[in-house]
Amino acid sequence: MKENTIRLAGISYESLVNGPGIRRVLFSQGCVHNCEGCFNKETHSFNGGNLMDMDEIIKDIIDSPFIKGVTFSGGDPWEQADKFAYIGEKLKEKDINIWSYTGYTFDYIIENKDKRAGWNDLLNVVDVLIDGKFELRNKKSDLRYKGSSNQRIIDVKESIISKKLKTLDTSPA
């Protein structure tokens, strides 16, 4: 396996539902959470999906004039945090907004950021984190950017600076 590859389940080239604006969505392959009712079960296996060249993905995003942000989804991108951090670092050089979904909680990520490969680096490039496992019992169809009411939409930079959790209001205007 080439070093500059990432295992993805797929790419959504122009999404309006995974964060604000027209976004590129990278669906990570591999997830340990196995949430009941997950709409992306095919992304759970760590052997599925396709190996893709990270530099080609980055170039394609940067060369797309309509893309205002990128969302890392899954699977769980935090299982390949070092790879997503690399992509994120290159995109931040071009001021591209980055959102990430994860089944882990923000608190767990903060506690383990120095113990898991790439977690601290990925934390440093993510602007907004939607955290927590999808919970079928808390599923609501009117939620914006998340699947269940237990999940939080976190302003990562503000939360780190203030050392206090800062969530975003994503209610429809």
Side-chain angles (χ1 to χ4, degrees):
M1 176 169 73
K2 289 171 49 177
E3 267 189 50
N4 68 331
T5 59
I6 187 169
R7 188 170 292 277
L8 295 181
I11 298 174
S12 177
Y13 288 89
E14 292 180 0
S15 172
L16 295 169
V17 297
N18 294 283
I22 299 173
R23 306 182 75 78
R24 182 72 41 91
V25 183
L26 306 180
F27 292 94
S28 177
Q29 184 69 44
C31 183
V32 298
H33 304 295
N34 198 30
C35 301
E36 179 186 355
C38 176
F39 75 98
N40 249 351
K41 284 223 181 264
E42 66 279 1
T43 67
H44 290 189
S45 168
F46 285 86
N47 298 315
N50 295 298
L51 287 174
M52 301 181 81
D53 185 289
M54 292 188 290
D55 293 319
E56 288 177 15
I57 293 168
I58 293 162
K59 181 181 181 336
D60 187 56
I61 293 167
I62 291 169
D63 290 348
S64 299
F66 298 110
I67 299 300
K68 301 301 177 207
V70 173
T71 300
F72 302 151
S73 192
D76 194 322
W78 291 77
E79 299 300 342
Q80 297 184 74
D82 55 334
K83 309 278 187 172
F84 281 100
Y86 173 80
I87 292 170
E89 288 166 2
K90 300 297 184 190
L91 296 177
K92 290 314 266 181
E93 291 173 6
K94 301 294 182 183
D95 291 323
I96 294 176
N97 175 268
I98 298 174
W99 283 36
S100 178
Y101 286 82
T102 182
Y104 296 105
T105 63
F106 181 70
D107 310 294
Y108 184 84
I109 291 170
I110 293 294
E111 289 169 16
N112 292 280
K113 66 184 176 73
D114 297 319
K115 300 173 191 165
R116 300 276 305 260
W119 276 26
N120 194 47
D121 295 332
L122 183 53
L123 195 61
N124 287 325
V125 297
V126 169
D127 297 298
V128 174
L129 181 75
I130 298 88
D131 80 334
K133 293 179 183 182
F134 169 76
E135 293 179 353
L136 189 57
R137 70 181 181 277
N138 289 317
K139 177 182 178 182
K140 294 190 172 49
S141 60
D142 62 341
L143 297 173
R144 197 164 180 203
Y145 305 132
K146 58 184 183 175
S148 57
S149 60
N150 62 295
Q151 295 172 312
R152 302 175 296 183
I153 302 174
I154 299 166
D155 182 327
V156 175
K157 303 289 181 249
E158 238 352 273
S159 296
I160 290 172
I161 290 168
S162 69
K163 294 185 173 47
K164 183 178 176 190
L165 189 70
K166 169 77 170 136
T167 58
L168 300 177
D169 178 12
T170 57
S171 305

